[in-house]
Amino acid sequence: MPTSFTVVPVEGQEPEPEPEPAEELSQPPAGSSSWQAGDGIPKESSPFIDSAEMDKGNIYEGKNMALFEEEMDSNPMVSSLLNKLANYTNLTQGVIEHEADEDSKRKEVKAPRMGTFIGVYLPCLQNILGVILFLRLTWIVGTAGVLESFIIVFMCCACTMLTAISMSAIATNGVVPAGGSYYMISRSLGPEFGGAVGLCFYLGTTFAGAMYILGTIEILLTYISPSATIFKAEDVAGETEAMLNNMRVYGTCIIALMAIVVFVGVKYVNKLALVFLACVILSIFAIYAGVVKTAFDPPDFPICLLGNRTLSRHNFDTCAKFIEVNNETVTTKLWSLFCDSPSLNATCDEYFNLNNVTEIQGIPGVASGVLIDNLWSAYTDKGSIVEKKGQPSVSGTEETKVGGLPYVFTDIMTYFTMLVGIYFPSVTGIMAGSNRSGDLRDAQKSIPTGTILAISTTSFIYLSCIVLFGACIEGVILRDKFGEAVNGNLVIGTLAWPSPWVIVIGSFFSTCGAGLQSLTGAPRLLQAIARDGIIPFLQVFGHGKANGEPTWALLLTACICEIGILIASLDSVAPILSMFFLMCYMFVNLACAVQTLLRTPNWRPRFKYYHWALSFLGMSLCFALMFICSWYYALIAMLIAGCIYKYIEYRGAEKEWGDGIRGLSLNAARYALLRVEHGPPHTKNWRPQVLVLLNLDSEQVAKHPRLLSFTSQLKAGKGLTIVGAVLQGIYLDKFTEAQKAEENIKSLMGLEKTKGFCQIVVSPSFRDGMSHLIQSAGLGGMTHNTVLMGWPQSWKQTDNPFSWKNFVDTVRETTAAQQALLVAKNIDSFPANQERFSEGHIDVWWIVHDGGMLMLLPFLLRQHKVWRKCKMRIFTVAQMDDNSIQMKKDLQMFLYHLRLNAEVEVVEMFENDISAFTYEKTLMMEQRSQMLKQMQLSKNEREREIQSITDESRGSIRRKSYSSPQSIGQDVQAVLPDDNPEKEAQLIHDRNTASHSAAVLKCDATATAPEKVHMTWTKDKFIAEKHKNRETNMTGFKDLFNMKPEWENLNQSNVRRMHTAVKLNGVILNKSQHAQLALLNMPGPPKNRKGDENYMEFLEVLTEGLNRVLLVRGGGREVITIYS
């Protein structure tokens, strides 16, 4: 119903200046391809929001609406919006993918004037009625019979009617730009389906051009000028091959001529469309007039029969064996065709001798009752003779060769499904109206009305013609494809009034025009696909002449059309284009069904007479017809479409068109998420859903990209992966950096082939950001159950004062959240996805049971090509009271039940004396703990204290040893979060090093391996040496820190833990130093937070000297089972 608007002026305000014309407003600033106004936030490309014309339009918009002045630069006022809508045409504005809007010099488009009748109805009528109607419909009726022909036509027309209903719904759901059919499919189903179906539609249109050209030549050489043939047949058997060769030669010439016409003067082709349409309509009226005339005055087209066999009248005139001339019996020309001489006693064909020659009327008329004879089918094999049912016939005693005799033969084998494939092209062309949507006055009204009306009209014409042909024409004439029994006349022409030439000339021009239209439309369709940029290798076909004519696309279209010409048989080309059109129609129905079922908010078609069930029925019918026509052509067409789909998915440009397939994916994802929400998965379904915690540098680039490589190797492309990172700051200040970080991580994920999602959190505290990720990453049942992070190599360095605290807190939080934790040490030395290990071991050190994570992870890694050739070894540690032999047997049995192949070894590690090195390591650790606490002094106090020991520190010995566990240089670096922390920490470090240098040097000189320290050092000896050094070097240092570390005063719990770490490290180094990867149980952090820095030291000692280490901490549940 109409809506009325009333404009009420506001008193006391100055009138707004009139807005500038739309074309001036729509011009972006010079040199800007995608200009955005306002706060810089890119918005959806739209003709109404954040458009370039607001640059000039916002001059007048802030006077009366000051409250909204902050939004004026991006959101237009309603007045300017309505002004734009008033100038809105069918060409989209603000969408860069369309040619008309890329040019800022766009000329004003004339208001389209075409209505439903001229713009949609007549073009659809012209495209639907064509070559099949004139050349093959009578033959289909004669072969399949009236009943089965009716079923064929009804199925095909029902298919196009259902497709038209779906297409009408899509076409009325918003403005359809010019060239609408491809646009409708691609924008409804997405770029992958759009490109695949668009190319199928293009191929269908191109092969339709070939079919029309073949029809043109068939009419020319068979009915207009048979003498124009180049290749002549020597006998009847060679006629078919000669005809095909003639069609190839003439077809190549005509396609070249048509391509030149289209290239030079496409506008004349469009102007001639009405002439071609007039020919079609005139021919239809001639047929109906001829049917009416047969009721009272049937035309005289006699047929000559020998027995029940139909004779071809090319080589004789008189339908008789002999005639009386001057009271003398004379043999006819027919006699000489069957006998070896004209004499009456000549040797003749046996069937000729046994049967009489009779002549019947080919068109007995609508009142003759011939309809009863034509109701049933008469399918035959190739080379069979066309015979009349019910006619008396005497067969010979032996089969004789009939190859050279003047019978009417069938040129191909016929059956129901083949006839469906040949007939279906006659109902295509329903999209002719939507293709002209840019020229329509009201496309949303005209397209549904005109298309459905045209399909109804043509369906009535086809169905009525089937009944009328069956009621008027003799069956043998209907089955005579080329009219050989009626002196080479076009069969449908024999029925027409006033003359057969009306149909012949009309069908000739009709097929000519249809071929030109196909050669005009197909290149433009290819150009539209190429300009969309979804198929990279087709982009060259998007270019053309200066006026936009698609030159390269026309050349490719002519070449593809030539393939159809070389096939040369209209009956062979028709099923090919049937496949492509059926696939296109199937996806139109699918698009409508998907949009309807999803109830997308934007799905609001003006055409209301649609339903998802109708669309689904249409889609099913199209799919069934594809396989009914030709199952192997259907498979080939689907294979072509599938290859195009995968190519666009793999190489094509990413387009977001708001398509229904994306909506379908979202709906399916929502449904699946709700299904998996009920509880944790069963142990058999458990797989690591990984949250990867990345650290970013100042350029928002990941510091350790190998974490993503390891993730993809661990996942083998399955399960959920969330890649998270934290930016420190306020989101309002950091949103640009967050977007940049997300883009960098996504590109890195693509490079590393990591399938998953990216999540960036901006938080004032790095610690809080990590906590937020661990708590809230994922959605519903698709949340992570495993956290993967790198070992903080810089936990001792001064530029990362709290990294060890963050790490320990993360360990605690994953434990609290019952999530597994994987910590990769030396992550940069892990293999890339391109590397391949030809040999080596993945060693698992199973100290405590963690739910089976240690068993499962190597199995998953070995599914990837990088680790596939590595063997799995499992080590477990036996204590004093354990039976190591029984442990090994039990472990082997356990692995057998788990279906895992691995070598098993039980390592015995008995209690023994704690080494001097262990005490020294514990001493260093506790000294650092005290120093970290003392470092909380103020800046000025710290500077004064540091200055007091500068002179002593200059002469100290600085020693760093990375190959042995006593790496004093790393162990005693202070953590000072201040202006010049490195210098201050170095002073403390030097001071501490000087106090213990003698002990360490002596230790290095006498021991090469840490576990052998206690063999050369006794406790008393080490204490004496330590006190001696302390007396000479530690006066000022001891006063500063108030440190009195004595071995007797050490925390015995720390000593025991350090002893375990040292001993385990020695055992692991002995067995797994050269392994490709070592997996260890990760001990939990201490319950007392005061010992967190000690915990880091324990882990450092435990993994020292190993190349690649993965510390594994289970999530508190079983992840592997022995049961099926």
Side-chain angles (χ1 to χ4, degrees):
M1 59 183 292
T3 306
S4 58
F5 292 90
T6 304
V7 181
V8 181
V10 181
E11 296 182 1
Q13 295 175 345
E14 296 180 6
E16 292 181 358
E18 292 185 4
E20 299 182 18
E23 17 199 282
E24 296 180 16
L25 292 176
S26 62
Q27 294 180 4
S32 172
S33 60
S34 179
W35 178 75
Q36 299 285 346
D39 54 5
I41 303 175
K43 296 182 180 294
E44 180 184 357
S45 182
S46 163
F48 308 132
I49 297 178
D50 201 18
S51 293
E53 68 250 31
M54 300 321 300
D55 181 40
K56 296 184 180 181
N58 60 12
I59 299 172
Y60 63 87
E61 288 200 79
K63 296 183 179 179
N64 299 333
M65 292 290 176
L67 181 61
F68 297 96
E69 62 185 6
E70 294 293 335
E71 298 164 31
M72 298 277 178
D73 55 354
S74 59
N75 297 343
M77 292 291 290
V78 173
S79 57
S80 62
L81 171 65
L82 295 176
N83 181 58
K84 280 197 66 177
L85 283 172
N87 296 303
Y88 197 65
T89 69
N90 289 84
L91 298 173
T92 57
Q93 301 174 19
V95 183
I96 199 170
E97 63 225 22
H98 293 288
E99 171 187 8
D101 305 302
E102 290 177 337
D103 190 0
S104 60
K105 303 174 183 176
R106 185 179 66 222
K107 298 178 180 179
E108 186 172 349
V109 183
K110 294 182 179 179
R113 296 294 179 189
M114 295 175 70
T116 302
F117 186 76
I118 298 294
V120 180
Y121 180 75
L122 292 181
C124 284
L125 213 64
Q126 179 189 359
N127 279 265
I128 295 172
L129 300 171
V131 61
I132 299 295
L133 170 66
F134 299 122
L135 296 183
R136 292 292 181 269
L137 189 59
T138 53
W139 172 70
I140 290 173
V141 172
T143 305
V146 172
L147 292 180
E148 290 186 26
S149 299
F150 199 90
I151 293 172
I152 292 173
V153 174
F154 182 79
M155 274 198 312
C156 295
C157 292
C159 175
T160 54
M161 179 61 79
L162 292 171
T163 304
I165 292 172
S166 299
M167 185 190 72
S168 299
I170 298 173
T172 58
N173 187 50
V175 178
V176 178
S181 54
Y182 162 70
Y183 182 92
M184 284 191 299
I185 299 168
S186 60
R187 269 55 178 182
S188 296
L189 292 177
E192 293 89 359
F193 278 110
V197 180
L199 276 183
C200 286
F201 191 48
Y202 163 73
L203 291 173
T205 307
T206 305
F207 275 103
M211 185 187 73
Y212 292 133
I213 292 170
L214 291 174
T216 303
I217 303 163
E218 184 175 313
I219 293 169
L220 175 68
L221 297 182
T222 307
Y223 307 115
I224 296 178
S225 178
S227 60
T229 55
I230 299 173
F231 298 92
K232 307 289 185 181
E234 296 179 358
D235 53 9
V236 177
E239 284 184 359
T240 303
E241 189 61 35
M243 185 64 178
L244 294 179
N245 289 330
N246 285 319
M247 297 187 83
R248 291 184 181 108
V249 174
Y250 275 94
T252 304
C253 297
I254 288 179
I255 198 173
L257 183 64
M258 284 186 173
I260 293 172
V261 170
V262 171
F263 178 77
V264 173
V266 67
K267 57 184 178 181
Y268 300 112
V269 175
N270 293 328
K271 289 180 179 178
L272 286 172
L274 284 176
V275 177
F276 300 139
L277 176 61
C279 292
V280 174
I281 294 174
L282 185 63
S283 300
I284 298 292
F285 280 122
I287 293 170
Y288 282 110
V291 170
V292 172
K293 182 175 178 294
T294 61
F296 52 87
D297 184 17
D300 183 26
F301 280 101
I303 307 169
C304 190
L305 298 176
L306 176 62
N308 65 350
R309 297 178 178 180
T310 310
L311 297 176
S312 172
R313 303 196 75 156
H314 281 304
N315 299 316
F316 67 93
D317 299 322
T318 306
C319 184
K321 293 182 179 181
F322 35 78
I323 55 175
E324 294 287 335
V325 178
N326 299 324
N327 295 326
E328 184 180 351
T329 303
V330 180
T331 57
T332 62
K333 196 171 183 180
L334 179 63
W335 177 281
S336 62
L337 292 174
F338 284 92
C339 303
D340 56 1
S341 72
S343 63
L344 291 172
N345 58 355
T347 304
C348 297
D349 179 75
E350 183 183 9
Y351 187 85
F352 183 76
N353 288 331
L354 295 174
N355 292 276
N356 294 324
V357 175
T358 56
E359 192 173 58
I360 62 172
Q361 276 298 325
I363 303 179
V366 75
S368 64
V370 73
L371 177 64
I372 305 299
D373 297 332
N374 292 331
L375 280 178
W376 313 109
S377 61
Y379 300 119
T380 55
D381 292 328
K382 180 179 179 180
S384 300
I385 301 173
V386 177
E387 298 176 344
K388 177 174 169 54
K389 300 173 186 177
Q391 188 76 8
S393 172
V394 180
S395 299
T397 56
E398 59 182 25
E399 291 293 327
T400 57
K401 293 183 179 180
V402 295
L405 301 177
Y407 295 123
V408 176
F409 296 98
T410 56
D411 60 336
I412 57 173
M413 186 174 71
T414 53
Y415 44 92
F416 179 81
T417 56
M418 186 210 69
L419 295 181
V420 175
I422 292 176
Y423 172 75
F424 188 81
S426 68
V427 297
T428 60
I430 62 173
M431 292 187 174
S434 65
N435 288 340
R436 298 169 180 243
S437 56
D439 302 324
L440 300 175
R441 186 183 304 118
D442 185 359
Q444 296 192 2
K445 178 183 176 183
S446 297
I447 289 176
T449 307
T451 305
I452 292 175
L453 196 60
I455 293 175
S456 302
T457 305
T458 53
S459 298
F460 172 77
I461 291 173
Y462 283 131
L463 292 172
S464 61
C465 280
I466 286 172
V467 177
L468 294 176
F469 291 163
C472 296
I473 305 175
E474 185 61 52
V476 290
I477 298 294
L478 289 173
R479 291 190 292 278
D480 182 8
K481 185 187 290 185
F482 302 108
E484 296 175 65
V486 285
N487 300 319
N489 280 297
L490 182 62
V491 174
I492 198 173
T494 61
L495 184 64
W497 180 85
S499 167
W501 285 102
V502 175
I503 296 288
V504 172
I505 301 301
S507 60
F508 178 78
F509 283 112
S510 169
T511 51
C512 255
L516 280 172
Q517 292 282 5
S518 296
L519 284 181
T520 304
R524 279 160 178 72
L525 179 58
L526 180 63
Q527 187 181 44
I529 298 171
R531 287 186 171 177
D532 261 346
I534 57 175
I535 306 176
F537 72 84
L538 286 182
Q539 289 184 358
V540 65
F541 298 107
H543 307 296
K545 292 194 293 186
N547 61 352
E549 291 298 320
T551 309
W552 292 107
L554 175 62
L555 185 62
L556 179 66
T557 302
C559 292
I560 297 174
C561 205
E562 177 65 18
I563 296 173
I565 297 297
L566 293 177
I567 295 174
S569 171
L570 188 146
D571 300 322
S572 300
V573 173
I576 297 176
L577 67 100
S578 294
M579 291 303 115
F580 292 123
F581 277 117
L582 278 167
M583 184 169 290
C584 177
Y585 295 166
M586 180 174 71
F587 280 102
V588 169
N589 284 295
L590 174 64
C592 183
V594 166
Q595 298 277 29
T596 307
L597 288 172
L598 289 180
R599 297 186 177 92
T600 312
N602 193 52
W603 180 247
R604 304 184 300 273
R606 289 189 179 277
F607 180 78
K608 299 300 181 184
Y609 306 102
Y610 69 94
H611 193 271
W612 67 266
L614 292 176
S615 300
F616 187 79
L617 179 63
M619 182 182 71
S620 304
L621 191 55
C622 289
F623 186 77
L625 283 173
M626 285 178 67
F627 283 90
I628 287 174
C629 293
S630 173
W631 63 268
Y632 48 89
Y633 278 159
L635 291 178
I636 292 172
M638 292 173 71
L639 180 65
I640 292 172
C643 291
I644 298 168
Y645 178 94
K646 295 305 291 183
Y647 177 81
I648 297 173
E649 187 179 55
Y650 178 67
R651 291 290 304 276
E654 292 186 4
K655 300 281 184 181
E656 178 51 67
W657 288 333
D659 52 88
I661 295 298
R662 179 172 174 80
L664 184 63
S665 301
L666 291 173
N667 223 34
R670 181 186 66 87
Y671 177 76
L673 281 172
L674 292 175
R675 289 291 302 272
V676 300
E677 179 68 25
H678 299 302
H682 190 274
T683 304
K684 289 185 287 188
N685 294 328
W686 193 94
R687 63 180 68 220
Q689 315 277 30
V690 182
L691 169 63
V692 186
L693 297 179
L694 289 181
N695 285 331
L696 305 177
D697 59 18
S698 58
E699 298 296 324
Q700 319 308 330
V701 177
K703 291 182 179 179
H704 304 294
R706 289 294 169 84
L707 272 174
L708 293 182
S709 305
F710 183 70
T711 304
S712 62
Q713 294 160 22
L714 179 66
K715 304 292 293 179
K718 303 294 189 297
L720 174 72
T721 301
I722 303 173
V723 182
V726 178
L727 292 180
Q728 196 165 352
I730 305 300
Y731 181 70
L732 290 177
D733 301 330
K734 293 280 188 177
F735 71 91
T736 305
E737 288 88 337
Q739 289 178 344
K740 181 181 177 183
E742 186 172 357
E743 291 173 2
N744 292 339
I745 291 176
K746 284 183 177 179
S747 64
L748 181 62
M749 290 171 69
L751 194 64
E752 298 292 345
K753 298 181 180 178
T754 304
K755 306 276 187 183
F757 308 98
C758 175
Q759 189 165 347
I760 305 295
V761 171
V762 181
S763 174
S765 163
F766 188 83
R767 172 71 230 110
D768 291 343
M770 298 279 276
S771 179
H772 294 159
L773 272 177
I774 291 172
Q775 292 178 63
S776 61
L779 179 64
M782 291 296 286
T783 54
H784 61 280
N785 53 31
T786 305
V787 177
L788 172 63
M789 60 189 302
W791 173 260
Q793 300 284 356
S794 60
W795 72 273
K796 302 174 188 175
Q797 295 180 6
T798 56
D799 58 347
N800 256 334
F802 300 111
S803 65
W804 58 275
K805 288 186 178 180
N806 292 338
F807 178 80
V808 179
D809 284 344
T810 302
V811 175
R812 286 197 175 99
E813 286 186 352
T814 55
T815 304
Q818 295 186 329
Q819 296 171 3
L821 176 64
L822 310 179
V823 179
K825 192 175 181 188
N826 302 326
I827 184 62
D828 293 330
S829 67
F830 275 57
N833 288 328
Q834 294 76 26
E835 297 181 37
R836 301 287 184 270
F837 288 135
S838 59
E839 58 182 1
H841 295 93
I842 299 176
D843 287 354
V844 176
W845 285 87
W846 194 21
I847 312 299
V848 294
H849 183 54
D850 58 352
M853 279 288 289
L854 281 170
M855 306 292 181
L856 186 62
L857 292 176
F859 171 77
L860 293 175
L861 282 175
R862 292 181 68 241
Q863 307 305 305
H864 197 274
K865 295 178 182 179
V866 174
W867 305 91
R868 187 164 292 164
K869 295 185 179 180
C870 292
K871 295 181 179 178
M872 181 176 165
R873 296 191 302 188
I874 296 182
F875 298 92
T876 188
V877 178
Q879 299 297 315
M880 181 72 72
D881 300 331
D882 295 330
N883 184 341
S884 57
I885 297 176
Q886 188 60 38
M887 279 183 65
K888 184 173 183 178
K889 289 182 179 178
D890 293 343
L891 183 54
Q892 286 174 336
M893 182 58 66
F894 181 56
L895 291 176
Y896 175 78
H897 287 306
L898 288 176
R899 291 91 64 200
L900 295 176
N901 296 320
E903 299 177 21
V904 175
E905 188 170 342
V906 178
V907 179
E908 296 180 346
M909 193 174 76
F910 301 130
E911 290 291 337
N912 54 9
D913 292 336
I914 298 175
S915 66
F917 170 71
T918 301
Y919 278 106
E920 180 64 20
K921 201 70 176 169
T922 310
L923 176 67
M924 298 297 175
M925 181 180 70
E926 294 199 353
Q927 284 178 350
R928 182 186 297 107
S929 298
Q930 294 184 40
M931 282 191 293
L932 289 172
K933 295 172 184 175
Q934 293 290 340
M935 286 307 133
Q936 305 304 318
L937 300 170
S938 68
K939 178 181 176 182
N940 293 333
E941 288 174 325
R942 190 162 60 248
E943 287 179 350
R944 287 198 302 270
E945 296 294 349
I946 294 300
Q947 188 63 37
S948 67
I949 61 171
T950 302
D951 295 334
E952 287 184 271
S953 302
R954 297 291 186 193
S956 63
I957 300 172
R958 185 179 181 215
R959 173 171 165 70
K960 292 185 180 179
S961 176
Y962 296 100
S963 60
S964 66
Q966 50 269 50
S967 303
I968 309 302
Q970 288 185 349
D971 288 346
V972 199
Q973 287 184 21
V975 181
L976 295 171
D978 213 342
D979 298 337
N980 193 7
E982 293 184 3
K983 180 178 178 181
E984 298 172 6
Q986 186 61 52
L987 295 177
I988 303 300
H989 161 76
D990 290 343
R991 191 66 179 132
N992 190 33
T993 306
S995 68
H996 303 288
S997 58
V1000 176
L1001 288 171
K1002 187 86 178 246
C1003 185
D1004 281 343
T1006 56
T1008 57
E1011 60 270 24
K1012 295 181 180 179
V1013 173
H1014 67 280
M1015 297 174 64
T1016 55
W1017 279 81
T1018 64
K1019 182 175 180 180
D1020 295 337
K1021 189 175 180 181
F1022 191 87
I1023 291 175
E1025 185 66 23
K1026 178 169 63 66
H1027 281 296
K1028 179 181 175 183
N1029 284 296
R1030 182 166 303 172
E1031 289 171 2
T1032 57
N1033 293 328
M1034 281 202 60
T1035 307
F1037 193 81
K1038 200 159 52 171
D1039 292 340
L1040 171 63
F1041 294 106
N1042 194 22
M1043 287 186 182
K1044 296 179 181 179
E1046 301 290 343
W1047 280 21
E1048 291 81 358
N1049 297 331
L1050 290 175
N1051 186 321
Q1052 291 306 307
S1053 175
N1054 287 342
V1055 172
R1056 288 196 306 274
R1057 291 178 180 178
M1058 183 62 74
H1059 174 65
T1060 303
V1062 170
K1063 290 295 292 180
L1064 263 178
N1065 178 255
V1067 172
I1068 293 171
L1069 275 178
N1070 185 36
K1071 298 289 185 181
S1072 303
Q1073 190 168 14
H1074 300 294
Q1076 301 292 8
L1077 178 65
L1079 286 82
L1080 282 72
N1081 280 119
M1082 182 178 182
K1087 296 180 180 178
N1088 185 0
R1089 290 177 177 269
K1090 294 180 181 178
D1092 285 356
E1093 64 275 12
N1094 299 341
Y1095 174 68
M1096 299 295 292
E1097 188 68 42
F1098 293 143
L1099 295 181
E1100 191 77 64
V1101 172
L1102 179 64
T1103 58
E1104 198 161 13
L1106 294 172
N1107 184 22
R1108 302 184 191 94
V1109 185
L1110 188 66
L1111 295 170
V1112 180
R1113 185 160 174 76
R1117 61 160 296 166
E1118 295 292 332
V1119 300
I1120 195 167
T1121 178
I1122 64 174
Y1123 299 106
S1124 62

